[in-house]
Amino acid sequence: MTKSELIDAVAQRTRITKSRAEQVVNCVFEAMTTALEGDQGIEIRGFGSFTVRHYKAYNGRNPRTGKPVPVPPKRLPFFKVGKELKELVNAPLVARQKAKEEAAAKAKAAAAAPKAEADEPGSTA
Amino acid sequence: MTKAEIIDAVYEKVGGFSKKEAAEIVEAVFDVMKEVLADGAKIKISGFGNFVVREKQERVGRNPQTGEPIPISARRVLTFKPSQVLKGILNPHKERLKRERLEGDDDSEEE
């Protein structure tokens, strides 16, 4: 999803015009950028938080030539995903994994049962 | 900065909304993003950065206290990669150096 698609989705959901939604979305990211610029963290409950990390100068290397290059001190924004979103993002996988484990348990139970049918174990994976 | 402050910014700078409306719309922005990311899709906000869902393979980790190996199941994680623009805003000095290098010894300062 790009920013313009996000704008479309917000416009549709909140029934405001696209141009208004565009102003809002731009304002949101501008406000966040300004906060980070001012070394201020951002906390969006349920989504995540942004902090500014300070890195000291160090000597890096040009990976191609192996020549040492001085890297000046820098500031980088760092995002930490919130608990709710972290679980949301991972949920489909957790559900899939659970289904797989249940299927495996079932297959095992079936194999252990007397007079088990001889359909090849593992072919359903 | 909290969500409440972002709502205030929208209320004051965009204008034309009540506080409640501004809150609902800002809420919708983050809700839409959450839903898209939950679907495993990425979000690219030009000038800010990209939110990308990454599939992690199962691997063996270690209990840092005991050194005991423990399996870490396959999972999806969300990562944020800041855009060059945002990095530049946080590092104006570095940007200037880069510009000067590109422009040679051109001394004209345009801020």
Side-chain angles (χ1 to χ4, degrees):
Chain A
M1 172 179 260
T2 61
K3 189 162 85 174
S4 67
E5 286 166 336
L6 174 62
I7 289 163
D8 289 348
V10 169
Q12 205 168 35
R13 183 165 304 195
T14 59
R15 297 203 189 85
I16 59 176
T17 64
K18 278 185 191 178
S19 76
R20 296 289 278 156
E22 182 173 13
Q23 287 177 302
V24 171
V25 169
N26 283 336
C27 182
V28 167
F29 289 107
E30 273 163 28
M32 289 167 73
T33 302
T34 307
L36 295 172
E37 187 180 7
D39 232 11
Q40 199 191 359
I42 304 164
E43 194 194 326
I44 312 290
R45 206 130 338 141
F47 189 81
S49 58
F50 295 85
T51 49
V52 180
R53 290 197 171 173
H54 293 243
Y55 293 87
K56 282 185 231 161
Y58 62 93
N59 285 311
R61 247 167 224 290
N62 177 333
R64 198 165 300 168
T65 63
K67 250 200 260 172
V69 227
V71 180
K74 62 185 167 193
R75 295 197 297 159
L76 288 178
F78 179 81
F79 175 68
K80 183 167 188 280
V81 60
K83 190 164 177 271
E84 190 196 320
L85 183 55
K86 189 177 183 175
E87 284 168 2
L88 266 177
V89 163
N90 199 28
L93 208 70
V94 170
R96 251 184 286 153
Q97 188 119 354
K98 217 168 147 191
K100 213 166 91 186
E101 274 163 22
E102 270 166 14
K106 220 187 248 171
K108 215 167 143 189
K115 240 174 81 193
E117 306 262 324
D119 23 1
E120 298 178 19
S123 65
T124 48
Chain B
M1 169 172 271
T2 61
K3 196 152 65 187
E5 288 169 84
I6 294 175
I7 291 165
D8 284 344
V10 168
Y11 175 72
E12 282 161 26
K13 290 192 185 136
V14 179
F17 300 120
S18 69
K19 263 261 171 79
K20 190 164 164 272
E21 286 167 333
E24 281 168 6
I25 300 165
V26 169
E27 207 70 56
V29 172
F30 290 108
D31 282 349
V32 168
M33 289 175 72
K34 275 197 265 189
E35 289 163 25
V36 168
L37 294 168
D39 273 346
K42 68 170 139 186
I43 300 180
K44 300 193 276 190
I45 307 294
S46 61
F48 191 78
N50 297 348
F51 295 89
V52 184
V53 176
R54 294 191 170 278
E55 304 265 355
K56 295 285 187 181
Q57 295 287 324
E58 183 178 279
R59 65 188 170 94
V60 178
R62 245 165 234 291
N63 178 335
Q65 227 128 59
T66 64
E68 212 180 312
I70 29 171
I72 296 174
S73 60
R75 64 192 61 208
R76 281 182 174 176
V77 296
L78 175 59
T79 58
F80 172 68
K81 188 165 183 279
S83 84
Q84 286 301 325
V85 176
L86 181 58
K87 284 203 232 173
I89 290 169
L90 293 193
N91 299 283
H93 181 64
K94 233 180 117 186
E95 281 302 291
R96 209 177 58 225
L97 284 178
K98 213 192 281 174
R99 219 168 41 225
E100 279 168 8
R101 217 164 11 194
L102 286 174
E103 290 166 2
D105 40 8
D106 185 348
D107 269 344
S108 62
E109 299 245 332
E110 336 120 46
E111 287 298 304

